[in-house]
Amino acid sequence: MTNPERIHPSTTAGEREMLESWLEFHRETLALKCAGLSEEQLRKTAVEPSDMSLLGLVRHLTEVEQGWFHQVLAAEDVPRLYTSDENPDGDFHLTDQDTWAQAHTAWREAVGRSRELAATRSLDDLGEGRHRSGRTYSLRWIYVHMIEEYARHNGHADLLRQRIDGATGE
């Protein structure tokens, strides 16, 4: 696996470019935290009783991408890949059959579809779907939320990576 290239967001960009570039920066930060690790290392959990692992974070963020961009923004009927009503934390509950290759591919596909769906809309456009709360969200709100979601989980990823091999950094 090659190390992903992160482009630092412009300090003078307009609103849309700023939001998109910060989200892309955080997406690639997650990829960077996972780069160069073995399947076993990607499955390593933080501390008991947590099930959180880098592989689990990628699976979680796949469903987050699908939830906000595919379902809420575009009203696409997308089945959950890892979670269910019976197993709401299934993205972190790994089995022997779950692999990095599968999770990474699903995540990259979800991100690609998210980009496509957002590209045709303005920041003020409201989602065509509904969130489980019943509320409607603008694309602007979704971008801000996704930046927050990735940033928070990248903090977790940083701690996981440091535990695995001592690597630190932004």
Side-chain angles (χ1 to χ4, degrees):
M1 174 176 10
T2 60
N3 281 346
E5 286 294 321
R6 286 187 314 165
I7 298 172
H8 288 267
S10 167
T11 59
T12 59
E15 181 182 16
R16 177 144 192 161
E17 181 184 347
M18 185 77 67
L19 291 170
E20 288 176 348
S21 63
W22 272 109
L23 181 53
E24 290 302 325
F25 177 83
H26 282 294
R27 286 170 171 156
E28 291 312 312
T29 297
L30 179 63
L32 183 64
K33 294 298 173 185
C34 297
L37 296 176
S38 70
E39 192 83 26
E40 180 181 343
Q41 290 172 313
L42 290 162
R43 293 169 163 277
K44 190 169 186 76
T45 58
V47 293
E48 295 294 331
S50 175
D51 290 333
M52 188 179 295
S53 65
L54 289 169
L55 180 56
L57 283 173
V58 169
R59 288 163 45 110
H60 173 70
L61 286 161
T62 300
E63 287 203 343
V64 171
E65 290 275 353
Q66 290 179 330
W68 284 106
F69 286 102
H70 308 192
Q71 294 171 331
V72 173
L73 183 64
E76 291 184 346
D77 185 21
V78 181
R80 292 187 279 183
L81 296 175
Y82 311 112
T83 62
S84 65
D85 291 340
E86 299 77 34
N87 190 8
D89 293 324
D91 37 6
F92 293 105
H93 300 158
L94 306 176
T95 70
D96 291 341
Q97 289 75 43
D98 297 319
T99 68
W100 168 251
Q102 292 166 337
H104 185 251
T105 297
W107 176 59
R108 288 295 188 185
E109 288 173 357
V111 166
R113 183 68 181 140
S114 295
R115 287 183 190 121
E116 290 172 10
L117 295 169
T120 62
R121 292 168 169 83
S122 78
L123 293 177
D124 293 324
D125 281 354
L126 299 179
E128 298 165 17
R130 292 266 182 211
H131 184 263
R132 64 183 172 269
S133 68
R135 292 163 52 191
T136 303
Y137 294 86
S138 70
L139 176 57
R140 178 182 287 104
W141 192 97
I142 292 170
Y143 271 137
V144 171
H145 175 69
M146 291 297 291
I147 292 165
E148 176 272 331
E149 182 86 15
Y150 271 94
R152 182 167 40 93
H153 288 310
N154 281 337
H156 299 133
D158 196 37
L159 293 171
L160 284 160
R161 183 66 190 245
Q162 186 175 9
R163 177 170 156 67
I164 291 165
D165 67 359
T168 59
E170 67 174 67

